[in-house]
Amino acid sequence: MGSSSSTSRGNTASSINTGAYPASRNRRASSSAPPSTTTQHQNGMQRQQRRATAAAHASLGTSAPPSSYQRHHPSPPITANRPPVSTTQGNASSTSSGYASLPGSAPPPRGASIPPAAASATTLSRPGAYSISREGAGPTQVFRVQIPHEVRPGQEFQVIAGSRTVRVRCPAESRGGHYLQITVPPDPVVRPNVQGMAVLTSATGQEGGGAVLMRESVREVNAEVQQQQEQQLEQQNSQTSPANSQTSSSPPPPPQPPQTYMVTVPPGISPGMQFAVEVEGQRMMVTCPANVQAGMNLRILPPQPPPTQSAPPNLPSGIGTSVDRPPPEQQRSTSLPPTHPPLMQMFEVVVPPGVMPNQSFSLLANGQRVLVTCPSNVRSGQKVRFQLPVSNPNDKTKDAPAVQLEYESIKDGWARTIRVTDMKFQWVRMNEDGEIDLKSVSRFDLQHSAYTRRLTFLEGNDPRMRTGTLSFGTANESSVESSVELHGKEVVGYAEIAAAHQGSYDEKAEWFQEICRERLRMKWNDGHLRILIRRQHLLHDSIEAVMSMSRTDLSKIWRFEFLGETGIDAGGLAREWFQLVTEEIFNPDMGLWLPSATNQMAMRINPASEISCPEDHLIYFRFLGRVMGKALFDGQLVTGHMVRHMYKHILGWPVMFEDLELPDEGYYNSLKSLLDLENVEDVCLDFTFTENALGENRVVELMEGGEDVSVTNDNLPEFMEANLNYHLMDRVKPQQTELLLGFYDIIPEPLLTIFDFQELELLMCGVPVIDIDDWMANTSYSGNFEQQGEKASTVQWFWEVIREEFDQETRARLLQFVTGSSGVPSRGFSVLQGNDGGIRQFSIHGIKKEHSLYPRSHTCFNRIDLPIYSSKDELREKLRVSIVSSATGFDME
């Protein structure tokens, strides 16, 4: 469906509600008769559609060899004689004068070996993902249309313009019955993706589950990448190692005399205010001292340039600059876009009591936890300086909070900090005094030891589908970037992420969606995808479409259409698609996921998924990861709630022994009971675990040769650690790897550092309990209820039935009936999305019973048409019938 521009002509004529007619630009709007060639024009379009359909079908025969999934899941037959499907979908928008272009798209992704034949946008009848392009399109067309009499200024209505359905907004000065002249862009050229599904590549040397062995040429490239990453990790570990932080192989270099500069405080600056200066090409923020006024000179000490050689390996974490005897600066020169370079703020702190040289301490700087290492020539009580980026005052997207500086005050637990040396986020454990716990833990400790997943991205055989490896590492050795780059340019910097981290959940969620929508998502005119799905083959068609996409395609706008249905995707179809595919994937009958032992709503990966789907179970998990990432990216909801440690793995959050409780409380308690035994050898355990897969027991060794290693009091901590590693990582490592790879095919990991695992679940699944008061407070009324609103008798009965007689399940089914999803956004009904991705409140539209005896829904617009009933009993009966008997399909709005 296309958008159009309209020009009001103000004259009334005979009613034309079913179509738009070609009009000359010189024709006056007062002409009332439609052209006599309309039938000929439509017949010509039908002939063009048939020819283009044949061309599109022929082009599909040139696809690449079938993948493993395709060989074992041949495409189901396509029902013939389906109506043509429009693919020119856009936001409803028009103005009272002038012309607007219909959103277009970029050419198909690179790498297509055989250019597919072009097809008209109106002839798509096969499932798949189609790229929309304006290349080779014809000229724009001008149509003359009459506004339906019931339409008011600002409201939208639909017309048939040539071969397409176009949505038009009534201008402010026009009324029902008036004529408009609209300009409709040409039909875009549609090209199907003939490459087919991208094949998964195994990074472990073992094929199966839909993954193939890595080609030798790709393996050589990845070997270099892995070697570089291992070197970086070794250097990072040597810098943060407590053992290395106590000694130094050589004395510190002699102090260098600091270079100072004289600057003048600009007019209007008062004590405590900041102003920007530029020294030696570097911009920085200076805070006006208390005893200095505007116009006075101020001597400043700028940061030294980056060293030409890398820092010695015995210097841990972030190195502060000593004010008393400053050593050479140990800072990283960050890669910045040329337009909005971040401003640097100098911080001066006193080394806390008890901190020795080369030891780290934590504090809050500008609201962000910072990890600073005491220089080797500085003692407690002396001052050190370091720099952090702050938001650019010229960037109006997000104002940085006031600069604050205080020592870390959180109690025992893990905290995410920023390393000053390389500006990466790192996990540190805080002790009861609020200081960094740098004690070397040589053995596993149930209360303190924690691990984080490490996901390494590698190139795959198909450039559209990366591969990677997944492993466990100690939490304090993991790190993540603090900025997001796109096409080699930084689009989100550390200062913005640090500022967002301080907000409430609602503020963080709003910031995240804004970043995805405004900076990371491709604009409609730069390219979008049309995804055609057969409802009876929903999962099969969806996997074929999503797994054929590149990572660039995932950031484009998707528009869905169910073949054979007249529904238009203005938001509702997308919501339904995300719900239906995740509902099917998480269904235990699929054999991919199982309910956890303690919570039937929390799903865990089935360790025996390979037995349930031996040829393609990894494809399902990669598909699900992409769907979950795309849902989060677009602000949609998914159906399945996962166990807690899965959200921690997505975030790279530390997992601990207590995370074993949710997946299997019984086994968790049995492990803990071993701690109370005087002699563990009495229970005759070894380093193995026996699991049941489809009725058959299988013994798994928790370590090499574990069947021959007995559990004793001496090695009990290692036995606990082995169980943690196996149950939360190794047991389902291939499935978790593909799930995370798919998720991060679209979501940049640094953006998620602002959330904790509980907030991530709310963001992905919505608020599980429906708040009736919030629902009512964010409901609008129209039609026959516009004047009285919630005071109308039928409306009062409606809310009374929902509150007093409907249980949570029925309420969820009602919400699904009206909005296409049984979930509520994580921030409640106030941010319920509509047809254009914006906020559209739940709406109750009053109609007469002559128009419909039962309530009907318009899911794309979150609206229910509620007849005016004569009694509460009648409303309850008709509403229940509509909810129970409603199909998940869509009617034309």
Side-chain angles (χ1 to χ4, degrees), residues 433-474:
D433 298 326
E435 300 294 337
I436 297 178
D437 188 355
L438 292 177
K439 292 185 300 183
S440 178
V441 181
S442 58
R443 305 190 69 183
F444 179 76
D445 185 283
L446 267 67
Q447 301 298 325
H448 299 91
S449 296
Y451 294 87
T452 55
R453 57 94 181 137
R454 290 176 181 169
L455 183 63
T456 302
F457 296 103
L458 301 172
E459 294 297 325
N461 292 344
D462 193 311
R464 294 172 295 170
M465 198 72 66
R466 291 184 300 184
T467 186
T469 59
L470 187 65
S471 61
F472 248 172
T474 55

Side-chain angles (χ1 to χ4, degrees), residues 437-720:
D437 188 355
L438 292 177
K439 292 185 300 183
S440 178
V441 181
S442 58
R443 305 190 69 183
F444 179 76
D445 185 283
L446 267 67
Q447 301 298 325
H448 299 91
S449 296
Y451 294 87
T452 55
R453 57 94 181 137
R454 290 176 181 169
L455 183 63
T456 302
F457 296 103
L458 301 172
E459 294 297 325
N461 292 344
D462 193 311
R464 294 172 295 170
M465 198 72 66
R466 291 184 300 184
T467 186
T469 59
L470 187 65
S471 61
F472 248 172
T474 55
N476 59 354
E477 294 180 357
S478 67
S479 62
V480 64
E481 296 290 341
S482 62
S483 61
V484 178
E485 291 188 356
L486 186 64
H487 306 306
K489 293 184 178 180
E490 185 180 274
V491 293
V492 184
Y494 156 77
E496 284 189 271
I497 296 178
H501 188 275
Q502 304 171 50
S504 64
Y505 167 71
D506 288 344
E507 293 171 338
K508 288 190 287 187
E510 183 179 355
W511 177 85
F512 176 84
Q513 293 298 334
E514 180 183 356
I515 293 295
C516 292
R517 180 176 60 253
E518 301 298 333
R519 305 191 199 179
L520 302 179
R521 186 171 69 180
M522 291 186 63
K523 304 302 180 184
W524 176 274
N525 288 334
D526 294 335
H528 60 279
L529 291 176
R530 191 70 177 163
I531 302 176
L532 275 63
I533 303 295
R534 292 168 294 174
R535 188 177 292 276
Q536 65 271 32
H537 303 293
L538 172 75
L539 192 57
H540 176 278
D541 290 351
S542 298
I543 292 177
E544 295 247 346
V546 173
M547 296 295 285
S548 69
M549 298 180 187
S550 65
R551 296 201 302 275
T552 301
D553 292 331
L554 295 176
S555 62
K556 295 179 180 179
I557 298 176
W558 293 2
R559 286 293 182 263
F560 292 90
E561 187 150 343
F562 288 101
L563 288 173
E565 300 182 13
T566 55
I568 297 173
D569 187 6
L573 288 181
R575 283 199 302 268
E576 188 195 22
W577 182 84
F578 279 106
Q579 179 175 0
L580 291 179
V581 295
T582 53
E583 188 176 72
E584 191 163 347
I585 286 286
F586 280 108
N587 189 339
D589 294 339
M590 279 285 294
L592 302 173
W593 293 82
L594 297 173
S596 67
T598 57
N599 186 351
Q600 294 296 312
M601 292 295 296
M603 307 298 292
R604 61 183 176 92
I605 295 177
N606 182 7
S609 64
E610 183 178 5
I611 299 177
S612 302
C613 307
E615 300 295 338
D616 49 26
H617 71 117
L618 296 182
I619 294 179
Y620 285 108
F621 284 101
R622 184 59 169 262
F623 166 76
L624 178 60
R626 286 189 158 198
V627 170
M628 293 169 62
K630 181 62 174 176
L632 192 63
F633 190 84
D634 288 350
Q636 299 287 355
L637 299 176
V638 297
T639 300
H641 293 255
M642 299 182 293
V643 290
R644 181 176 60 191
H645 73 267
M646 287 302 303
Y647 295 105
K648 289 188 173 184
H649 283 334
I650 291 177
L651 295 176
W653 197 280
V655 294
M656 304 180 68
F657 185 79
E658 63 182 18
D659 288 302
L660 284 173
E661 182 176 9
L662 284 180
D664 194 336
E665 184 180 12
Y667 189 71
Y668 167 80
N669 290 331
S670 66
L671 288 176
K672 287 192 65 177
S673 66
L674 297 178
L675 301 174
D676 301 328
L677 298 179
E678 183 176 349
N679 186 4
V680 178
E681 296 184 54
D682 292 341
V683 295
C684 302
L685 295 176
D686 54 29
F687 276 69
T688 62
F689 174 76
T690 303
E691 61 182 4
N692 183 279
L694 299 180
E696 295 184 4
N697 290 332
R698 183 170 68 96
V699 177
V700 180
E701 290 188 336
L702 301 179
M703 58 177 292
E704 186 176 354
E707 199 168 8
D708 299 325
V709 180
S710 299
V711 179
T712 66
N713 290 355
D714 292 336
N715 62 19
L716 181 59
E718 285 71 28
F719 179 72
M720 297 292 191

